[in-house]
Amino acid sequence: MTKLTRRQFGLLTGASAAALGFPALLRAQTKPRVVIVGGGAGGATAARYLAKDGKGEIDVTLIDDSDKFTTCFFSNLYLGGYRDFDSITHGYDRLQSDYGVTKLTGMAVSVDRAAKTVEMADGTSVAYDRLILSPGIDLIWDSVPGYSKEAAEIAPHAWQAGPQTQLLKDKLDAITSGQQVVMVAPPNPYRCPPGPYERVSMMAHLFKSKGVDAKIIVLDPKEKFSKQGLFMAGWEKYYPGMVEWIGPDVHGGIKGVDVNAGTVETDLDTFNGDLLNIIPAQKAGEIASAAGLTDDSGFCPIVAESMRSTIDENIFVIGDASIAGAMPKSGFSANSQAKVAVMNIRGDLTGSKVFPAKYSNTCWSLIETDDGVKVGAQYAPQDGKIASTSSFISENGESEAVRKATYEESLGWYKGITTDMFG
Amino acid sequence: MGTGYSSDRKISGSLAGGIGSRAIAMVLAAGFLSVQAAMATDLPEGDASRGEKLFSACAGCHQVGEGAQNKVGPHLDGLIGRTAGSVAGFKYSSAMRAAGEAGMTWTAANIAEYLEKPREFIPGNRMSYRGMPRAKDRADLVSWLKQISQETPGQAGATAEVVAAPGFADVVMQIEGDPEYGEYLAGECVTCHQASGHADGIPSIVGLPKKYFLTALFEYKNNVRTNEVMKLRVQNLTNEELAALAAYFENLEPQ
């Protein structure tokens, strides 16, 4: 089939597709079809906006292997005892009933880009005119030698929310005085830059609130981390002596883990943990590489103006799987990128107006009850990359009222973004 | 910068006499609303002057006193005895409208009860206020509201007219905002400010009068209002973008 430009495609769908010799798919199907793989912050938002803004002109199918989605964001608050698991778990019912999205529950394994179909694990395929991949991350298990999918049942990563998060919670609840937790933090780039350190705060809060005198050691492959000054000041203030963060200049390198022995070996020493929380290195969700859309980094290069794959113009990659320049891998970023992708897809398929891309992100973290901090930025395409145009971060020494307001703002955001995703 | 929206509006007058109070228990189940009126003990008379100070927590969203206008929240003139959800020109939540349609009238007692936990008293209402836990604070605030409400009872039902705003907003007001562009730009807002108009810790911006909306954004831009997230979002917006957003949100209906 001859390659069409976006403009030509729009003209053709408006004319008689059959007469112009379009494949069977388009003859049978008058509405353009958008398929979305991954029902998280990126995919669910994209589905809702395509259905809502497409006003019935676009056929929207959302594929995810689960009928529920547990948000990674706020899962640390579940670990800390601030939220219950149900409150961070959402269904796709309203996307179907209120917006007319078709939800397909199954595992998408690869993409036949020539045929423009998504291949499912059960052997079926789903045709698309435009495809959005929002598969999130997969873990590079052997980035921490000795770690594996099986080992994660003993030493949970809990970096993909769901049963892993519940497993980690159960294990944290079982920690008693005199015991020690060892976290191995991930190398860049990874999902949710402040996440490991908010998690440390929530672990410490849980122990402190129960009167458990336990210790948390963080072995970090990075020399510095997101909101470091804020977290370290918070740990000193609320959890003195409980948290020890050890960077690479001290531990000299993380050599491996033995989850049965409960040890993490570094150049400096072997650390013993009654509980190990191993967060390995990350890459784009498996389907992205299966579709040939990743580069050497393991993530997907995109056009900064649209989130369109630089490798296939009919495919958009959003969220953690994309290389989004200065934007962090976060639910907020994925939600923001979804809206830009949707606008461009609507422009492709229905000729609606395409405005200049704008992106934004804010990440809130809770350090202790009513002590929230945040970091945020605005982004725009610049020289082929998504660049930060302005940013801010909470400061040490802010009043209690400001920190409390920041936490309360995060509660409002959670309600806002999950409504924006799931309706 | 004079904005026309400062919270320290001049209010004067004498303490009003006692007003009979009723407690109204709201029962919301499966979308069905029933209102039960029952006699309750009168609210203790509070300290109105202290109440006036406490009102500063409300003044960011509500105006009261002569000439008060709708802002983020409806004006409070003539509040006591007013039917819930009845101020013309204010876009209420369906929950608040339903309460009014079911016959709910604001009294000193039910306002005090509402203020304790606004989201529990009328679930689904748009007021972004977590509640005033101390009974004494509520009594003082309501005492002052009773007083001010009697002094300026005439507004209820009147169409609110927007207060003149400063130069910036006037300039942007002249620009005809493109609601389609506004809808796209609003994608950035509704990640936190729910498009339904519901507020859960972040104020609703649905149905805000254009001039108020623009003035508020101008105040973030200029550190009159201090929220880093808002400042960041606003500082790079052009006048055309601001006008587009204002046009979009003004016409959005709360659910």
PDB file of all heavy atoms in Angstrom, chain B residues 9-14 16 63-69 75-80 82 87 144-158:
ATOM      1  N   ARG B   9     -13.228  43.271  52.682  1.00  0.00           N
ATOM      2  CA  ARG B   9     -14.301  44.184  52.328  1.00  0.00           C
ATOM      3  C   ARG B   9     -14.823  44.853  53.583  1.00  0.00           C
ATOM      4  O   ARG B   9     -14.952  44.232  54.617  1.00  0.00           O
ATOM      5  CB  ARG B   9     -15.434  43.419  51.643  1.00  0.00           C
ATOM      6  CG  ARG B   9     -14.986  42.716  50.389  1.00  0.00           C
ATOM      7  CD  ARG B   9     -16.074  41.796  49.907  1.00  0.00           C
ATOM      8  NE  ARG B   9     -17.276  42.556  49.569  1.00  0.00           N
ATOM      9  CZ  ARG B   9     -17.453  43.159  48.405  1.00  0.00           C
ATOM     10  NH1 ARG B   9     -16.519  43.095  47.500  1.00  0.00           N
ATOM     11  NH2 ARG B   9     -18.554  43.818  48.152  1.00  0.00           N
ATOM     12  N   LYS B  10     -15.123  46.125  53.441  1.00  0.00           N
ATOM     13  CA  LYS B  10     -15.588  46.884  54.604  1.00  0.00           C
ATOM     14  C   LYS B  10     -17.024  46.483  54.925  1.00  0.00           C
ATOM     15  O   LYS B  10     -17.921  46.551  54.101  1.00  0.00           O
ATOM     16  CB  LYS B  10     -15.492  48.381  54.281  1.00  0.00           C
ATOM     17  CG  LYS B  10     -16.016  49.289  55.353  1.00  0.00           C
ATOM     18  CD  LYS B  10     -14.876  49.888  56.168  1.00  0.00           C
ATOM     19  CE  LYS B  10     -15.408  50.838  57.244  1.00  0.00           C
ATOM     20  NZ  LYS B  10     -15.312  50.274  58.569  1.00  0.00           N
ATOM     21  N   ILE B  11     -17.187  46.029  56.150  1.00  0.00           N
ATOM     22  CA  ILE B  11     -18.520  45.620  56.558  1.00  0.00           C
ATOM     23  C   ILE B  11     -18.811  46.237  57.923  1.00  0.00           C
ATOM     24  O   ILE B  11     -17.981  46.202  58.815  1.00  0.00           O
ATOM     25  CB  ILE B  11     -18.609  44.083  56.647  1.00  0.00           C
ATOM     26  CG1 ILE B  11     -18.460  43.486  55.233  1.00  0.00           C
ATOM     27  CG2 ILE B  11     -19.910  43.618  57.251  1.00  0.00           C
ATOM     28  CD1 ILE B  11     -17.867  42.142  55.200  1.00  0.00           C
ATOM     29  N   SER B  12     -19.972  46.851  58.076  1.00  0.00           N
ATOM     30  CA  SER B  12     -20.284  47.453  59.365  1.00  0.00           C
ATOM     31  C   SER B  12     -21.720  47.125  59.745  1.00  0.00           C
ATOM     32  O   SER B  12     -22.497  46.657  58.938  1.00  0.00           O
ATOM     33  CB  SER B  12     -20.100  48.962  59.278  1.00  0.00           C
ATOM     34  OG  SER B  12     -20.971  49.461  58.282  1.00  0.00           O
ATOM     35  N   GLY B  13     -22.047  47.384  60.982  1.00  0.00           N
ATOM     36  CA  GLY B  13     -23.432  47.147  61.396  1.00  0.00           C
ATOM     37  C   GLY B  13     -23.512  46.605  62.802  1.00  0.00           C
ATOM     38  O   GLY B  13     -22.508  46.366  63.450  1.00  0.00           O
ATOM     39  N   SER B  14     -24.724  46.407  63.272  1.00  0.00           N
ATOM     40  CA  SER B  14     -24.887  45.952  64.652  1.00  0.00           C
ATOM     41  C   SER B  14     -25.330  44.489  64.667  1.00  0.00           C
ATOM     42  O   SER B  14     -25.774  43.937  63.667  1.00  0.00           O
ATOM     43  CB  SER B  14     -25.934  46.806  65.338  1.00  0.00           C
ATOM     44  OG  SER B  14     -27.156  46.655  64.643  1.00  0.00           O
ATOM     45  N   ALA B  16     -27.297  41.292  65.026  1.00  0.00           N
ATOM     46  CA  ALA B  16     -28.694  40.986  64.727  1.00  0.00           C
ATOM     47  C   ALA B  16     -29.326  40.177  65.851  1.00  0.00           C
ATOM     48  O   ALA B  16     -28.641  39.583  66.662  1.00  0.00           O
ATOM     49  CB  ALA B  16     -28.764  40.180  63.444  1.00  0.00           C
ATOM     50  N   GLN B  63     -17.939  36.295  48.865  1.00  0.00           N
ATOM     51  CA  GLN B  63     -18.098  37.692  49.266  1.00  0.00           C
ATOM     52  C   GLN B  63     -19.405  37.830  50.040  1.00  0.00           C
ATOM     53  O   GLN B  63     -20.378  37.119  49.774  1.00  0.00           O
ATOM     54  CB  GLN B  63     -18.135  38.605  48.049  1.00  0.00           C
ATOM     55  CG  GLN B  63     -16.784  38.692  47.339  1.00  0.00           C
ATOM     56  CD  GLN B  63     -16.746  39.816  46.316  1.00  0.00           C
ATOM     57  OE1 GLN B  63     -17.766  40.311  45.869  1.00  0.00           O
ATOM     58  NE2 GLN B  63     -15.539  40.216  45.962  1.00  0.00           N
ATOM     59  N   VAL B  64     -19.403  38.773  50.975  1.00  0.00           N
ATOM     60  CA  VAL B  64     -20.623  39.076  51.703  1.00  0.00           C
ATOM     61  C   VAL B  64     -20.595  40.558  52.048  1.00  0.00           C
ATOM     62  O   VAL B  64     -19.525  41.149  52.156  1.00  0.00           O
ATOM     63  CB  VAL B  64     -20.749  38.185  52.975  1.00  0.00           C
ATOM     64  CG1 VAL B  64     -19.672  38.516  53.990  1.00  0.00           C
ATOM     65  CG2 VAL B  64     -22.131  38.272  53.588  1.00  0.00           C
ATOM     66  N   GLY B  65     -21.752  41.144  52.215  1.00  0.00           N
ATOM     67  CA  GLY B  65     -21.822  42.584  52.468  1.00  0.00           C
ATOM     68  C   GLY B  65     -22.375  43.260  51.227  1.00  0.00           C
ATOM     69  O   GLY B  65     -22.533  42.627  50.174  1.00  0.00           O
ATOM     70  N   GLU B  66     -22.634  44.532  51.367  1.00  0.00           N
ATOM     71  CA  GLU B  66     -23.288  45.239  50.277  1.00  0.00           C
ATOM     72  C   GLU B  66     -22.504  45.105  48.963  1.00  0.00           C
ATOM     73  O   GLU B  66     -21.298  45.291  48.917  1.00  0.00           O
ATOM     74  CB  GLU B  66     -23.427  46.716  50.649  1.00  0.00           C
ATOM     75  CG  GLU B  66     -24.549  47.375  49.911  1.00  0.00           C
ATOM     76  CD  GLU B  66     -24.675  48.846  50.312  1.00  0.00           C
ATOM     77  OE1 GLU B  66     -24.332  49.169  51.466  1.00  0.00           O
ATOM     78  OE2 GLU B  66     -25.090  49.631  49.452  1.00  0.00           O
ATOM     79  N   GLY B  67     -23.198  44.754  47.929  1.00  0.00           N
ATOM     80  CA  GLY B  67     -22.557  44.663  46.615  1.00  0.00           C
ATOM     81  C   GLY B  67     -21.772  43.382  46.402  1.00  0.00           C
ATOM     82  O   GLY B  67     -21.052  43.256  45.420  1.00  0.00           O
ATOM     83  N   ALA B  68     -21.894  42.438  47.307  1.00  0.00           N
ATOM     84  CA  ALA B  68     -21.132  41.193  47.166  1.00  0.00           C
ATOM     85  C   ALA B  68     -21.529  40.470  45.884  1.00  0.00           C
ATOM     86  O   ALA B  68     -22.681  40.504  45.456  1.00  0.00           O
ATOM     87  CB  ALA B  68     -21.386  40.293  48.376  1.00  0.00           C
ATOM     88  N   GLN B  69     -20.552  39.832  45.282  1.00  0.00           N
ATOM     89  CA  GLN B  69     -20.767  39.125  44.011  1.00  0.00           C
ATOM     90  C   GLN B  69     -20.389  37.661  44.153  1.00  0.00           C
ATOM     91  O   GLN B  69     -19.683  37.282  45.071  1.00  0.00           O
ATOM     92  CB  GLN B  69     -19.868  39.744  42.922  1.00  0.00           C
ATOM     93  CG  GLN B  69     -20.001  41.231  42.747  1.00  0.00           C
ATOM     94  CD  GLN B  69     -21.359  41.643  42.218  1.00  0.00           C
ATOM     95  OE1 GLN B  69     -22.072  40.839  41.627  1.00  0.00           O
ATOM     96  NE2 GLN B  69     -21.737  42.886  42.443  1.00  0.00           N
ATOM     97  N   HIS B  75     -22.236  34.474  46.504  1.00  0.00           N
ATOM     98  CA  HIS B  75     -22.219  35.511  47.538  1.00  0.00           C
ATOM     99  C   HIS B  75     -23.107  35.044  48.688  1.00  0.00           C
ATOM    100  O   HIS B  75     -23.994  34.193  48.514  1.00  0.00           O
ATOM    101  CB  HIS B  75     -22.674  36.853  46.965  1.00  0.00           C
ATOM    102  CG  HIS B  75     -24.142  36.925  46.683  1.00  0.00           C
ATOM    103  ND1 HIS B  75     -25.087  37.043  47.687  1.00  0.00           N
ATOM    104  CD2 HIS B  75     -24.838  36.875  45.524  1.00  0.00           C
ATOM    105  CE1 HIS B  75     -26.288  37.080  47.150  1.00  0.00           C
ATOM    106  NE2 HIS B  75     -26.167  36.965  45.829  1.00  0.00           N
ATOM    107  N   LEU B  76     -22.861  35.589  49.874  1.00  0.00           N
ATOM    108  CA  LEU B  76     -23.558  35.095  51.063  1.00  0.00           C
ATOM    109  C   LEU B  76     -24.588  36.094  51.595  1.00  0.00           C
ATOM    110  O   LEU B  76     -25.112  35.916  52.696  1.00  0.00           O
ATOM    111  CB  LEU B  76     -22.539  34.731  52.146  1.00  0.00           C
ATOM    112  CG  LEU B  76     -21.537  33.638  51.729  1.00  0.00           C
ATOM    113  CD1 LEU B  76     -20.555  33.346  52.859  1.00  0.00           C
ATOM    114  CD2 LEU B  76     -22.242  32.348  51.308  1.00  0.00           C
ATOM    115  N   ASP B  77     -24.881  37.134  50.842  1.00  0.00           N
ATOM    116  CA  ASP B  77     -25.896  38.081  51.307  1.00  0.00           C
ATOM    117  C   ASP B  77     -27.255  37.389  51.388  1.00  0.00           C
ATOM    118  O   ASP B  77     -27.612  36.619  50.502  1.00  0.00           O
ATOM    119  CB  ASP B  77     -25.980  39.281  50.351  1.00  0.00           C
ATOM    120  CG  ASP B  77     -24.738  40.149  50.456  1.00  0.00           C
ATOM    121  OD1 ASP B  77     -23.925  39.902  51.364  1.00  0.00           O
ATOM    122  OD2 ASP B  77     -24.585  41.057  49.624  1.00  0.00           O
ATOM    123  N   GLY B  78     -27.953  37.676  52.458  1.00  0.00           N
ATOM    124  CA  GLY B  78     -29.281  37.071  52.620  1.00  0.00           C
ATOM    125  C   GLY B  78     -29.213  35.570  52.821  1.00  0.00           C
ATOM    126  O   GLY B  78     -30.170  34.851  52.539  1.00  0.00           O
ATOM    127  N   LEU B  79     -28.077  35.124  53.336  1.00  0.00           N
ATOM    128  CA  LEU B  79     -27.859  33.680  53.443  1.00  0.00           C
ATOM    129  C   LEU B  79     -28.885  32.982  54.343  1.00  0.00           C
ATOM    130  O   LEU B  79     -29.452  31.957  53.973  1.00  0.00           O
ATOM    131  CB  LEU B  79     -26.440  33.416  53.957  1.00  0.00           C
ATOM    132  CG  LEU B  79     -26.085  31.943  54.214  1.00  0.00           C
ATOM    133  CD1 LEU B  79     -26.119  31.159  52.905  1.00  0.00           C
ATOM    134  CD2 LEU B  79     -24.703  31.827  54.851  1.00  0.00           C
ATOM    135  N   ILE B  80     -29.094  33.554  55.533  1.00  0.00           N
ATOM    136  CA  ILE B  80     -30.028  32.910  56.467  1.00  0.00           C
ATOM    137  C   ILE B  80     -31.443  33.012  55.881  1.00  0.00           C
ATOM    138  O   ILE B  80     -31.907  34.100  55.561  1.00  0.00           O
ATOM    139  CB  ILE B  80     -29.977  33.589  57.852  1.00  0.00           C
ATOM    140  CG1 ILE B  80     -28.547  33.599  58.395  1.00  0.00           C
ATOM    141  CG2 ILE B  80     -30.966  32.905  58.813  1.00  0.00           C
ATOM    142  CD1 ILE B  80     -28.023  32.305  58.922  1.00  0.00           C
ATOM    143  N   ARG B  82     -32.239  31.612  53.074  1.00  0.00           N
ATOM    144  CA  ARG B  82     -32.139  31.448  51.625  1.00  0.00           C
ATOM    145  C   ARG B  82     -32.267  29.956  51.278  1.00  0.00           C
ATOM    146  O   ARG B  82     -31.754  29.105  52.005  1.00  0.00           O
ATOM    147  CB  ARG B  82     -30.761  31.976  51.197  1.00  0.00           C
ATOM    148  CG  ARG B  82     -30.526  32.104  49.732  1.00  0.00           C
ATOM    149  CD  ARG B  82     -29.292  32.978  49.526  1.00  0.00           C
ATOM    150  NE  ARG B  82     -28.091  32.193  49.267  1.00  0.00           N
ATOM    151  CZ  ARG B  82     -26.870  32.724  49.139  1.00  0.00           C
ATOM    152  NH1 ARG B  82     -26.686  34.030  49.283  1.00  0.00           N
ATOM    153  NH2 ARG B  82     -25.840  31.958  48.891  1.00  0.00           N
ATOM    154  N   VAL B  87     -28.841  31.020  44.342  1.00  0.00           N
ATOM    155  CA  VAL B  87     -28.354  32.328  43.881  1.00  0.00           C
ATOM    156  C   VAL B  87     -28.247  32.323  42.356  1.00  0.00           C
ATOM    157  O   VAL B  87     -27.569  31.467  41.773  1.00  0.00           O
ATOM    158  CB  VAL B  87     -26.987  32.668  44.513  1.00  0.00           C
ATOM    159  CG1 VAL B  87     -26.408  33.930  43.888  1.00  0.00           C
ATOM    160  CG2 VAL B  87     -27.142  32.854  46.013  1.00  0.00           C
ATOM    161  N   TRP B 144     -21.676  35.741  63.146  1.00  0.00           N
ATOM    162  CA  TRP B 144     -21.340  36.890  62.296  1.00  0.00           C
ATOM    163  C   TRP B 144     -22.105  36.813  60.958  1.00  0.00           C
ATOM    164  O   TRP B 144     -22.593  37.822  60.450  1.00  0.00           O
ATOM    165  CB  TRP B 144     -19.821  36.933  62.056  1.00  0.00           C
ATOM    166  CG  TRP B 144     -19.435  38.122  61.240  1.00  0.00           C
ATOM    167  CD1 TRP B 144     -19.442  39.420  61.655  1.00  0.00           C
ATOM    168  CD2 TRP B 144     -19.046  38.124  59.876  1.00  0.00           C
ATOM    169  NE1 TRP B 144     -19.068  40.237  60.626  1.00  0.00           N
ATOM    170  CE2 TRP B 144     -18.819  39.471  59.513  1.00  0.00           C
ATOM    171  CE3 TRP B 144     -18.857  37.126  58.922  1.00  0.00           C
ATOM    172  CZ2 TRP B 144     -18.417  39.840  58.243  1.00  0.00           C
ATOM    173  CZ3 TRP B 144     -18.455  37.498  57.666  1.00  0.00           C
ATOM    174  CH2 TRP B 144     -18.241  38.848  57.332  1.00  0.00           C
ATOM    175  N   LEU B 145     -22.219  35.619  60.434  1.00  0.00           N
ATOM    176  CA  LEU B 145     -22.954  35.460  59.169  1.00  0.00           C
ATOM    177  C   LEU B 145     -24.425  35.862  59.344  1.00  0.00           C
ATOM    178  O   LEU B 145     -25.023  36.458  58.455  1.00  0.00           O
ATOM    179  CB  LEU B 145     -22.867  34.011  58.673  1.00  0.00           C
ATOM    180  CG  LEU B 145     -21.546  33.619  57.990  1.00  0.00           C
ATOM    181  CD1 LEU B 145     -21.514  32.117  57.726  1.00  0.00           C
ATOM    182  CD2 LEU B 145     -21.343  34.387  56.683  1.00  0.00           C
ATOM    183  N   LYS B 146     -24.988  35.535  60.504  1.00  0.00           N
ATOM    184  CA  LYS B 146     -26.381  35.916  60.794  1.00  0.00           C
ATOM    185  C   LYS B 146     -26.529  37.426  60.755  1.00  0.00           C
ATOM    186  O   LYS B 146     -27.440  37.972  60.156  1.00  0.00           O
ATOM    187  CB  LYS B 146     -26.765  35.427  62.207  1.00  0.00           C
ATOM    188  CG  LYS B 146     -27.428  34.081  62.235  1.00  0.00           C
ATOM    189  CD  LYS B 146     -27.414  33.491  63.620  1.00  0.00           C
ATOM    190  CE  LYS B 146     -28.392  34.189  64.555  1.00  0.00           C
ATOM    191  NZ  LYS B 146     -28.396  33.527  65.888  1.00  0.00           N
ATOM    192  N   GLN B 147     -25.550  38.043  61.395  1.00  0.00           N
ATOM    193  CA  GLN B 147     -25.559  39.505  61.489  1.00  0.00           C
ATOM    194  C   GLN B 147     -25.462  40.131  60.096  1.00  0.00           C
ATOM    195  O   GLN B 147     -26.290  40.949  59.706  1.00  0.00           O
ATOM    196  CB  GLN B 147     -24.371  39.914  62.362  1.00  0.00           C
ATOM    197  CG  GLN B 147     -24.057  41.383  62.358  1.00  0.00           C
ATOM    198  CD  GLN B 147     -22.755  41.629  63.115  1.00  0.00           C
ATOM    199  OE1 GLN B 147     -22.406  40.895  64.044  1.00  0.00           O
ATOM    200  NE2 GLN B 147     -22.035  42.646  62.724  1.00  0.00           N
ATOM    201  N   ILE B 148     -24.494  39.701  59.351  1.00  0.00           N
ATOM    202  CA  ILE B 148     -24.238  40.308  58.048  1.00  0.00           C
ATOM    203  C   ILE B 148     -25.337  39.949  57.062  1.00  0.00           C
ATOM    204  O   ILE B 148     -25.715  40.729  56.197  1.00  0.00           O
ATOM    205  CB  ILE B 148     -22.834  39.893  57.532  1.00  0.00           C
ATOM    206  CG1 ILE B 148     -22.342  40.867  56.471  1.00  0.00           C
ATOM    207  CG2 ILE B 148     -22.797  38.483  57.004  1.00  0.00           C
ATOM    208  CD1 ILE B 148     -21.902  42.167  57.053  1.00  0.00           C
ATOM    209  N   SER B 149     -25.880  38.780  57.248  1.00  0.00           N
ATOM    210  CA  SER B 149     -26.937  38.299  56.372  1.00  0.00           C
ATOM    211  C   SER B 149     -28.189  39.154  56.528  1.00  0.00           C
ATOM    212  O   SER B 149     -28.893  39.432  55.561  1.00  0.00           O
ATOM    213  CB  SER B 149     -27.228  36.837  56.709  1.00  0.00           C
ATOM    214  OG  SER B 149     -28.423  36.428  56.117  1.00  0.00           O
ATOM    215  N   GLN B 150     -28.466  39.601  57.765  1.00  0.00           N
ATOM    216  CA  GLN B 150     -29.661  40.427  57.982  1.00  0.00           C
ATOM    217  C   GLN B 150     -29.457  41.848  57.498  1.00  0.00           C
ATOM    218  O   GLN B 150     -30.401  42.519  57.126  1.00  0.00           O
ATOM    219  CB  GLN B 150     -30.005  40.435  59.473  1.00  0.00           C
ATOM    220  CG  GLN B 150     -30.671  39.145  59.893  1.00  0.00           C
ATOM    221  CD  GLN B 150     -31.638  39.359  61.021  1.00  0.00           C
ATOM    222  OE1 GLN B 150     -31.458  40.262  61.826  1.00  0.00           O
ATOM    223  NE2 GLN B 150     -32.669  38.538  61.080  1.00  0.00           N
ATOM    224  N   GLU B 151     -28.201  42.268  57.537  1.00  0.00           N
ATOM    225  CA  GLU B 151     -27.943  43.632  57.083  1.00  0.00           C
ATOM    226  C   GLU B 151     -28.097  43.769  55.582  1.00  0.00           C
ATOM    227  O   GLU B 151     -28.465  44.811  55.079  1.00  0.00           O
ATOM    228  CB  GLU B 151     -26.508  44.033  57.447  1.00  0.00           C
ATOM    229  CG  GLU B 151     -26.382  44.460  58.879  1.00  0.00           C
ATOM    230  CD  GLU B 151     -24.935  44.498  59.284  1.00  0.00           C
ATOM    231  OE1 GLU B 151     -24.055  44.418  58.416  1.00  0.00           O
ATOM    232  OE2 GLU B 151     -24.690  44.610  60.493  1.00  0.00           O
ATOM    233  N   THR B 152     -27.757  42.746  54.885  1.00  0.00           N
ATOM    234  CA  THR B 152     -27.791  42.818  53.415  1.00  0.00           C
ATOM    235  C   THR B 152     -28.597  41.657  52.873  1.00  0.00           C
ATOM    236  O   THR B 152     -28.069  40.764  52.230  1.00  0.00           O
ATOM    237  CB  THR B 152     -26.362  42.760  52.842  1.00  0.00           C
ATOM    238  OG1 THR B 152     -25.707  41.603  53.373  1.00  0.00           O
ATOM    239  CG2 THR B 152     -25.569  43.982  53.157  1.00  0.00           C
ATOM    240  N   PRO B 153     -29.908  41.669  53.169  1.00  0.00           N
ATOM    241  CA  PRO B 153     -30.711  40.523  52.772  1.00  0.00           C
ATOM    242  C   PRO B 153     -31.183  40.579  51.332  1.00  0.00           C
ATOM    243  O   PRO B 153     -31.709  39.618  50.812  1.00  0.00           O
ATOM    244  CB  PRO B 153     -31.902  40.594  53.722  1.00  0.00           C
ATOM    245  CG  PRO B 153     -32.080  42.073  53.955  1.00  0.00           C
ATOM    246  CD  PRO B 153     -30.726  42.698  53.840  1.00  0.00           C
ATOM    247  N   GLY B 154     -31.004  41.719  50.688  1.00  0.00           N
ATOM    248  CA  GLY B 154     -31.731  41.976  49.453  1.00  0.00           C
ATOM    249  C   GLY B 154     -31.229  41.266  48.210  1.00  0.00           C
ATOM    250  O   GLY B 154     -31.900  41.256  47.194  1.00  0.00           O
ATOM    251  N   GLN B 155     -30.040  40.674  48.282  1.00  0.00           N
ATOM    252  CA  GLN B 155     -29.443  40.198  47.037  1.00  0.00           C
ATOM    253  C   GLN B 155     -29.932  38.855  46.533  1.00  0.00           C
ATOM    254  O   GLN B 155     -29.791  38.571  45.357  1.00  0.00           O
ATOM    255  CB  GLN B 155     -27.933  40.103  47.231  1.00  0.00           C
ATOM    256  CG  GLN B 155     -27.244  41.435  47.042  1.00  0.00           C
ATOM    257  CD  GLN B 155     -26.223  41.333  45.941  1.00  0.00           C
ATOM    258  OE1 GLN B 155     -26.092  40.323  45.275  1.00  0.00           O
ATOM    259  NE2 GLN B 155     -25.492  42.404  45.733  1.00  0.00           N
ATOM    260  N   ALA B 156     -30.430  38.044  47.468  1.00  0.00           N
ATOM    261  CA  ALA B 156     -30.741  36.672  47.057  1.00  0.00           C
ATOM    262  C   ALA B 156     -31.623  36.658  45.824  1.00  0.00           C
ATOM    263  O   ALA B 156     -32.627  37.347  45.766  1.00  0.00           O
ATOM    264  CB  ALA B 156     -31.426  35.929  48.196  1.00  0.00           C
ATOM    265  N   GLY B 157     -31.223  35.917  44.857  1.00  0.00           N
ATOM    266  CA  GLY B 157     -32.026  35.826  43.641  1.00  0.00           C
ATOM    267  C   GLY B 157     -31.632  36.847  42.595  1.00  0.00           C
ATOM    268  O   GLY B 157     -31.966  36.694  41.431  1.00  0.00           O
ATOM    269  N   ALA B 158     -30.902  37.891  43.013  1.00  0.00           N
ATOM    270  CA  ALA B 158     -30.503  38.900  42.028  1.00  0.00           C
ATOM    271  C   ALA B 158     -29.399  38.341  41.135  1.00  0.00           C
ATOM    272  O   ALA B 158     -28.583  37.545  41.565  1.00  0.00           O
ATOM    273  CB  ALA B 158     -29.993  40.144  42.742  1.00  0.00           C
TER     274      ALA B 158
END
